[in-house]
């Protein structure tokens, strides 16, 4: 298996805070990789570095062998990395459909004027975009609410929509930042299946941050554990569950178990 | 250019700059707490100038009585404006509040035009202030010496109030976090009202001194000084009092020195403020002494 | 001491809290657990008057405090250690401590000394700007700030958030300590394990409704809770 | 409602508007026509500002500057060559420019293009600024343009301004261009680019993560806005027949801000309606400036200036109590109109029924 | 209002007053209207019909100016228009009066462009070139050799005057470098210390500072406080009481050219005008020239209506164009081909004891 994403000694500093410290990791094609660790460990920051929101203080990020350390976020999205956000960032006042269509904008072929003036070829492209978006919404079960305003959806559906929106950019690598946050166990279970499904359906690789250990342990092929910005463990779910350091820093000692 | 002329220019620049600084502090105070560009500040300044004018001419108050009266009434005006136009928008997006501020500014200008007519009036001055001292060929008005002193005194008083008193502590707290300030038991509306009161008082003092130096009042007199002082505040780093003073001096000196060294460009003088502003914003997006902020994703 | 009846809160049409009732008896540690976005913080925010409930009643020591302003509520002896610490970064450590006592008019020196006892680290840093403190120190400061108002009820919103396990333990020691000194505590935690262990009563909140309540130790043993919140496999 | 009916309705509406223009041109006096012309021009300028501020979420206050570019381009190039030496009587016109005459339409477009280029130039540094800072920087640029125009005497005739610009007095020019602009705006906003703009308005970070180049799209929106503003400015110059730098004082921008705030930030139909209300209303309120007497006694309140006071109070009321303006981000669509009538009808029948019950 | 309905009446002849009553030019506009109103009060009838003044505020703004003018023409159907103070406003209305064939008479708009290429715009005042030349002559006569100029670049009037002053002064002195310094400023500027300091270094004999009276008064004040002793000379816009109020004792000795002198009325009509004006506006310390011009503009229009024997705008226009040796309070007026008043006399005044005082009369051949 070849790696899709590779981080080499990435350091991210904010003033005095070292949010990510010498992080190196690899994500293999077609796998589901989890990034876990206590709050403030630097997981989201790592995502932000990967997606170009922050430029790392030092280190290198490569995607499919290409150095993307200094790329801008929208270029990275175009290259094939999509993400969701820890605190949902939908285009709240736009419809569900529009949210998905916006994510398709990056592959638009018709130029500005063709598009703006609704030239025949642009109209055709728009039609295709809409069809694809409909299909996607169908898959994530949001067809019924496609004309609703995004902010009016219940929390769980917003999470789904965020994933659908990310998928609409046709990514090869999908970064999910706490997708199960705020979901009850039932929903979390459904999400577990959903993630597996989309991975196969869209033939993508997934890197995910999650605190729900059920989910993580069930679907990850590989887990990285961060603490204070530093990698403290890496391995399969079984290895991680048994890792002393991880139990100390994150999983907690199960005194009564 | 002779040394004497240069010194004269310098004196002019400092004198103008310190007036800018004084008014800029008011902008910065309000911005620092409310994150609001109080576009109406220049017009509050104008209203204060009119109050002083009417006080001293029609009601023939002695200047010190007028001075106190102007400060009191302007403070009330400032608080009223805050109450009527900004408080209802406390939870609204910044753009709504900014538009409200522009609206207030527009209203004050039109109201002044309606009430006082568009005609400029002569601001009463008195000899003790306007008397020119000759310092080895450099003539300096008494006012030119007084204004920077007043500005610096006010700066130090405000720094003291803000950094050393309970009120100041509350102001700083409110500026960072309304909600938690509330949870501390701080009545944020009162704190904001105090801030406006201080800002308006500064506008009043500024108007008084401005009137002495440029003895003329008109409904639109606040527009340009307002804009320039706002720019001064932004240059210095809006929200930072020391920055406002720094920005004021820089702007005043820049304007006068442009005239001094590039006489043929004097027509571009008003552009200087903006050019300076844009250059500084490009180099330091939050001004010279402004704090950097980045959005956490 | 604190009693909430049928509280409903919504943010612009979206109902975050859907009619919950709970009680915190005097001198107990009560805890509210639940997933992200379940509405826990919202409950605390409505208690201190930061959000206006749509309906329902909140009473404190028998007096209804619904609709009072935050400062009125705080002056009755309730205080909040907010989620994410939210200390005032532009104030020094000492000022942050003092601002906690903003409502008080009496002499603070005794209580400041108490804080210095409780948090020796803060004493060392009293002139430092609070924004430059480490996360753990900030959390201590937030607790100290809240204590300065001499509250009868102190509410803590995820005090262990973003803290190393060791620091978390320290925070919980402090919680127990102030409880011993006679304070009532309402605690929100993600770390349900720790919270339930410390708590006398626990409430479980799920998408805006209370789905379970009981003694802390009881809940800890409950199978469904274990599955949902303690991250333990079946 | 299907596509065909909608198309038919659109055509019908267009025909009605064209008929209106024909009739208005014939029947109305030049005073009314002038106001209608202004309405159309303000519609264009309002839309231009709404594109940037309302749809893309950039707080730009540079309209007056772009307008000035358009107005001056039209002025400089369309003034008859023989009139130029008379106009530039203090300092002769720049020798190169003085020989160039361009017909109205190309000059109008040229103005738009220059403004767009200029927007591109200043966009690079300025559009990276946020919120308040962007507002003040764009305002600054508009003032710089004005000041340059005041001082560049051989090109703009400085403070004297340029007069003798061939004027337009019928409604065709302004209204057809306004219609084109509206049409273009609707198409643009409903295209993929329009959605991208709105995405930027809603959440820059998410938009960028979805592959929308923030900078590129902001610049595009800013340039299109500048182009439209310049077209509006060019028409304005041709309507007045004269330009001078004072007309483009930064406070002019506030008028358009007012239009979009009143109409609704992010609403095309709102902008159009509000352009008419503001322009027409200001004219209608003129009675406030005239002395008025009730029973022979002159009321001192009615004197010049009252109109603007009332106007600004109205503005404040809108800002404070109707925060989202008339339309918010909504649009008037055929569906909405259909809904409205349906509701009206059901309400009527319900009322009728209710009435019966009481009996 | 009640008066409006009566307006439709054919027994009324309407004359539009097109002036800035709000905005930057309000002060001048107001003074001009005072003269017109007074004239209307004294001469309320022509051809046996009542003359009604319809006043429209052009807000000192061009866009407003055109609608205001259009309104006068179309809505109020006035027979002629008077105004406006501020040449650019008159220029803005130029096309409208031309296209609608309604005559307009400017009272104090001195910019040449007002009447240029417009057969329907006239004026009763002299022009900027004339005024600039007058002041150059005056300065030369005083023996000044070196002059400095401070001009309001954003004001067409000031720029015009400065240019013609420069031309004439250079010609008179025969010295290309007789203008030692030119300082520019913008309307509403309040600080002039920079340009004044530069001027002080050049030490000119005289400073010509045409511009708005407020800025000019501030300039003189600041110059004096900087120790500049050279005399200041300027144009007719200075002649307002605010100039003296703002300028205080520093403007003592400032010299300006103007159209009219109320202390030495040229004829009986002028005497009557001054008397009545003082009665009507007791608060005014002196009679401003623009008020006198406003008065003349009204009377000239009235005369033209009388000559035309009709309220038809076209006929009135022809009558105005044919005006010869009309005895106005500001002197004899003959309308030339351009539509301008042929005047070759200007009054020079100075500020003395807080009053504008007659100094000299300059005649340019
Ligand atoms: N823009 C920023 N400026 C300053 N500090 C930052 C910024 N972004 C993140 N940090 C800091 O970096 C550290 C890591 O934050 P990050 O959000 O990556 O944590 P995380 O592992 O995602 O935690 P959580 O599980 O709570 O989401 C924190 O201390 C945070 O305060
Ligand atoms: N200011 C707000 N505006 C709109 N919705 C909000 C706001 N604050 C919270 N919400 C929503 O209300 C719901 C409950 O939020 P709350 O913060 O009370 O949850 P919580 O249980 O404290 O979660 P967490 O564990 O993440 O702190 C969530 O769906 C959240 O998105
Ligand atoms: Mg995170
Ligand atoms: Mg919470």
């Amino acid at each position: 298996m070849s790696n899709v994403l590779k981080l080499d000694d990435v350091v991210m500093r904010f003033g005095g805070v070292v949010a990510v410290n010498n992080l190196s990791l690899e994500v293999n094609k077609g796998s589901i990789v989890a990034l876990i660790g206590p709050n403030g460990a630097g997981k989201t920051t790592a995502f932000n570095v990967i997606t170009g929101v922050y430029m790392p203080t030092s280190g290198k990020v490569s995607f499919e062998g290409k150095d993307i350390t200094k790329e801008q976020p929208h270029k990275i999205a175009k290259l094939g990395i999509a993400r969701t956000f820890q605190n949902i960032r939908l285009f709240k006042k736009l419809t569900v459909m529009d949210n998905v269509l916006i994510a398709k904008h990056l592959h638009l072929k018709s130029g500005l004027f063709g598009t703006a003036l609704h030239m025949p070829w642009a109209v055709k492209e728009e039609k295709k975009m809409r069809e694809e978006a409909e299909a996607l919404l169908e898959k994530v079960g949001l067809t019924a609410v496609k004309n609703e305003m995004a902010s009016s959806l219940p929390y769980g559906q917003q999470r789904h929509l965020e994933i659908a929106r990310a998928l609409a950019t046709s990514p090869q690598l999908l970064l999910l930042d706490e997708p199960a946050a705020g979901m009850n166990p039932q929903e979390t279970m459904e999400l577990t299946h959903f993630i597996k499904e989309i991975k196969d359906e869209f033939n993508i690789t997934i890197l995910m941050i999650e605190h729900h250990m059920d989910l993580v342990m069930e679907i990850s092929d590989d887990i990285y554990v961060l603490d204070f910005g530093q990698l403290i463990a890496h391995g399969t779910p079984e290895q991680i569950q048994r890792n002393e350091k991880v139990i100390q820093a994150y999983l907690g000692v199960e005194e009564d178990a | 250019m002779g040394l004497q002329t240069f010194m004269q220019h310098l004196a002019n620049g400092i004198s103008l700059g310190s007036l800018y600084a004084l008014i800029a502090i008011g902008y910065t105070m309000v911005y620092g707490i409310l994150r609001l560009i109080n576009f109406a500040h220049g017009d509050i300044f104008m209203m204060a100038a009119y109050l002083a004018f009417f006080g001293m001419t029609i009601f023939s108050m002695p200047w010190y009585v007028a001075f106190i009266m102007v400060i009191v009434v302007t403070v009330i005006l400032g608080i009223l404006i805050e109450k009527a136009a900004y408080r209802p928008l406390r939870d609204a997006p910044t753009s709504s509040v900014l538009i409200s501020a522009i609206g207030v500014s527009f209203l004050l200008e039109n109201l002044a035009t309606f009430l006082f007519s568009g005609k400029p009036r002569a601001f009463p001055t008195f000899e003790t202030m306007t008397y020119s001292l000759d310092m080895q060929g450099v003539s300096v008005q008494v006012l030119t010496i007084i204004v920077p002193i007043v500005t610096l005194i006010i700066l130090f008083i405000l720094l003291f109030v803000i950094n050393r008193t309970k009120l100041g502590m509350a102001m700083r707290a409110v500026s960072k976090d309304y909600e938690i300030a509330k949870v501390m038991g701080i009545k944020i509306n009162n704190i904001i009202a105090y801030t406006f009161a201080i800002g308006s008082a500064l506008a009043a003092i500024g108007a008084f001194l401005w009137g002495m130096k440029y003895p003329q009042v008109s409904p639109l007199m606040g527009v340009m000084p307002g804009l320039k002082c706002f720019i001064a505040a932004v240059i210095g780093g809006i929200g930072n009092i020391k920055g406002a003073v720094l920005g004021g001096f820089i702007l005043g000196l820049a304007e006068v020195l442009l005239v001094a060294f590039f006489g043929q460009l004097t027509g571009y003088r008003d552009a200087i403020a903006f050019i300076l502003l844009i250059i500084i914003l490009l180099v330091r997006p939050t001004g010279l002494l402004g704090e950097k902020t980045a959005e956490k994703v | 001491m604190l009693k909430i009846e049928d509280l409903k809160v919504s943010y612009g049409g979206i109902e975050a809290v859907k009619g919950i009732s709970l009680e915190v008896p005097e001198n107990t540690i009560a805890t509210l657990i639940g997933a992200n976005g379940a509405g826990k913080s919202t409950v605390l925010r409505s208690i201190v008057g930061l959000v206006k409930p749509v309906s329902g009643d909140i009473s404190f020591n028998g007096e209804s405090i619904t609709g009072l302003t935050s400062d009125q509520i705080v002056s009755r002896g309730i205080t909040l250690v907010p989620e994410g610490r939210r200390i005032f970064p532009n104030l020094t450590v000492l000022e942050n401590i003092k601002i906690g006592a903003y409502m008080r008019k009496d002499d603070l020196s005794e209580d400041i000394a108490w804080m210095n006892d409780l948090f020796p680290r803060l004493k060392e840093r009293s002139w430092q700007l609070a924004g430059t403190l480490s996360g753990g120190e900030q959390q201590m400061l937030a607790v100290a700030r809240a204590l300065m108002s001499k509250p009868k009820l102190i509410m803590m919103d995820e005090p262990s958030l973003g803290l190393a396990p060791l620091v978390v333990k320290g925070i919980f020691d402090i919680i127990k300590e102030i409880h011993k000194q006679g304070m009532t505590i309402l605690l929100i935690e993600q770390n349900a394990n720790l919270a339930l262990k410390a708590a006398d009563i626990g409430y479980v909140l799920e998408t805006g409704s209370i789905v379970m309540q009981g003694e802390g130790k009881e809940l800890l043993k409950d199978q469904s809770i274990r599955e949902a919140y303690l991250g333990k496999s079946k | 409602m299907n596509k065909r009916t909608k198309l038919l309705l659109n055509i019908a509406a267009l025909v009605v508007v064209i008929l209106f223009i024909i009739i208005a041109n014939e029947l109305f006096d030049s005073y009314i026509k002038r106001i209608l012309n202004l309405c159309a021009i303000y519609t264009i300028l309002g839309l231009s500002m709404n594109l940037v501020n309302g749809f893309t979420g950039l707080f730009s206050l540079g309209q007056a500057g772009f307008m000035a570019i358009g107005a001056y381009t039209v002025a400089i190039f369309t003034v008859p060559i023989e009139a130029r030496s008379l106009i530039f009587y203090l300092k002769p016109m720049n020798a190169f420019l003085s020989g160039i005459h361009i017909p109205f339409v190309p000059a109008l477009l040229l103005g738009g293009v220059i403004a767009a280029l200029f927007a591109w130039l200043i966009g690079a540094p300025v559009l990276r600024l946020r919120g308040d800072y962007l507002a003040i920087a764009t305002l600054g640029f508009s003032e710089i343009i004005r000041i340059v125009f005041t001082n560049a005497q051989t090109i703009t005739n400085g403070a004297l301004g340029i007069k003798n610009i061939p004027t337009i007095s019928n409604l065709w020019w302004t209204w057809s261009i306004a219609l084109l602009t509206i049409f273009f705006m609707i198409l643009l906003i409903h295209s993929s680019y329009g959605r991208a703009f709105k995405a930027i308005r809603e959440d820059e970070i998410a938009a960028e993560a979805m592959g929308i180049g923030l900078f590129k799209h902001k610049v595009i929106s800013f340039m299109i806005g500048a182009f439209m503003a310049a077209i509006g400015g060019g028409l304005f110059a041709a309507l007045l027949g004269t330009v001078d730098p004072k007309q483009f004082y930064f406070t002019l921008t506030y008028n358009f801000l007012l239009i979009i705030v009143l109409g609704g930030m992010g609403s095309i139909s709102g902008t159009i309606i509000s352009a008419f209300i503001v322009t027409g209303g200001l004219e209608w309120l003129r009675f406030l400036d005239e002395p008025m007497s009730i029973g022979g006694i002159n009321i001192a309140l009615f004197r010049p200036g009252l109109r603007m006071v009332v106007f600004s109070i109205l503005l404040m009321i809108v800002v404070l109590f109707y925060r989202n303006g008339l339309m918010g981000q909504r649009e008037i669509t055929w569906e909405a109109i259909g809904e409205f009538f349906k509701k009206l009808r059901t309400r009527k029948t319900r009322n009728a029924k209710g009435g019966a019950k009481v009996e | 209002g009640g008066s409006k309905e009566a307006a439709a009446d054919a027994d009324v002849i309407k004359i539009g007053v097109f002036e800035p009553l709000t905005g930057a030019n309000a002060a001048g506009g107001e003074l001009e209207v005072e003269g017109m109103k007074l004239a209307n009060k004294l001469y309320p009838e022509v051809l046996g019909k009542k003359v009604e003044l319809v006043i429209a505020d052009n807000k000192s703004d061009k866009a407003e100016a055109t609608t205001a003018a259009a309104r006068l023409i179309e809505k109020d159907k006035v027979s002629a228009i008077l105004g406006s103070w501020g040449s650019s406003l008159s220029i803005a209305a130029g096309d409208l009066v031309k296209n609608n064939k309604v005559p307009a008479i400017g009272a104090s708009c001195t910019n040449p462009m007002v009447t240029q290429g417009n057969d329907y715009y006239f004026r009763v005042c002299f022009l900027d070139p004339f005024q600039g030349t007058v002041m150059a002559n005056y300065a030369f006569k005083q023996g000044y050799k070196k002059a400095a100029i401070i001009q309001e670049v954003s004001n067409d009037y000031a720029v015009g005057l400065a240019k013609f002053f420069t031309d004439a002064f250079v010609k008179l002195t025969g010295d290309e470098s007789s203008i030692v310094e030119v300082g520019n400023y913008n309307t509403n500027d309040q600080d002039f210390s920079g340009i004044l300091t530069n001027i002080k270094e050049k030490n000119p004999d005289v400073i010509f500072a045409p511009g708005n009276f407020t800025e000019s008064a501030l300039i003189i004040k600041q110059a004096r406080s900087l120790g500049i002793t050279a005399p200041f000379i300027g144009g007719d816009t200075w002649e307002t009481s605010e100039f003296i109020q703002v300028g205080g004792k520093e403007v003592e000795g400032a010299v300006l050219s103007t159209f009219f002198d109320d202390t030495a009325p040229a004829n009986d009509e002028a005497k009557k005008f001054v008397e009545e004006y003082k009665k009507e506006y007791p608060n005014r310390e002196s009679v401003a020239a623009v008020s006198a011009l406003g008065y003349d503009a009204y009377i000239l229009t009235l005369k033209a209506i009388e000559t035309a024997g009709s309220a038809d705008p076209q006929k009135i226009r022809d009558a105005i164009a044919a005006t010869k040796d009309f005895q106005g309070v500001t002197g004899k007026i003959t309308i030339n081909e351009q539509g301008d008043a042929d005047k070759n006399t200007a009054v020079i005044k100075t500020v003395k004891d807080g009053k504008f005082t007659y100094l000299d009369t300059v005649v340019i051949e």
Side-chain angles (χ1 to χ4, degrees), chain A residues 137-150:
Chain A
L137 286 174
E138 180 77 50
K139 244 170 238 157
V140 298
L142 291 173
T143 307
V145 291
K146 68 176 184 186
N147 291 322
E148 304 283 320
M149 216 194 260

Side-chain angles (χ1 to χ4, degrees), chain D residues 215-262:
Chain D
F215 185 60
K216 174 183 156 197
H217 286 82
K218 282 182 181 179
V219 170
I220 289 176
S221 163
F222 199 50
M223 283 174 73
I224 297 176
F227 182 88
M228 282 160 59
I231 297 287
L235 288 170
F236 194 61
L239 181 70
L240 299 188
T242 141
V243 290
D244 74 47
K246 267 191 219 156
Q247 280 169 272
F248 303 101
Y249 203 52
F250 69 92
T251 45
L252 180 66
T253 305
Y254 295 168
N255 292 349
F256 313 124
L257 187 66
L258 164 68
I259 288 177
I260 63 171
V261 169
L262 180 70

Side-chain angles (χ1 to χ4, degrees), chain E residues 1-72:
Chain E
S3 60
K4 265 200 202 150
E5 283 77 55
D9 213 288
D11 290 344
V12 170
I13 293 180
K14 292 202 215 170
I15 297 182
V17 174
F18 167 69
E19 293 285 355
L21 297 174
T22 52
N25 298 350
E30 198 177 310
L31 286 173
E32 223 165 276
V33 173
E34 280 178 3
M36 295 171 189
K37 277 188 178 161
L38 180 64
N40 179 242
K41 192 177 168 195
L42 298 179
Y43 301 93
E45 276 182 23
V46 68
L47 304 177
K49 294 179 185 174
K50 199 170 169 299
V51 179
E52 188 193 321
L53 288 181
V54 184
I55 299 174
D57 175 15
N58 61 34
K59 276 192 67 192
S60 319
D61 174 285
K62 275 190 175 180
E64 290 276 348
T66 52
T67 32
R71 189 182 150 99
L72 287 175

Side-chain angles (χ1 to χ4, degrees), chain A residues 38-45 86 177-178 209 211, chain B residues 296-297:
Chain A
N39 292 107
K43 305 178 299 287
T44 302
T45 306
Q86 180 167 2
D177 196 345
E178 303 198 25
I209 298 175
H211 286 301
Chain B
K296 172 113 168 46
V297 183

Side-chain angles (χ1 to χ4, degrees), chain A residues 155, chain C residues 11 16 35-42 83 158 190:
Chain A
Y155 187 80
Chain C
Y11 294 104
N36 263 308
K40 307 178 300 279
S41 305
T42 306
E83 183 172 13
E158 299 195 30
Q190 287 260 322

Side-chain angles (χ1 to χ4, degrees), chain B residues 8-9 12 132 139 210 214 259, chain E residues 190-191 197-198 201 225-226:
Chain B
Q8 182 71 59
H9 277 305
N12 298 340
S132 272
S139 42
W210 189 282
Y214 310 112
V259 178
Chain E
Q190 304 196 330
D191 183 84
T197 303
N198 286 344
E201 200 182 24
S225 90
L226 282 172

Side-chain angles (χ1 to χ4, degrees), chain A residues 175-195:
Chain A
L175 308 184
L176 301 174
D177 196 345
E178 303 198 25
M183 290 189 171
N184 62 34
Q186 179 60 30
E187 286 172 328
T188 309
M189 217 154 70
E190 283 166 17
L191 184 75
T192 314
H193 293 300
F194 180 65
I195 292 175

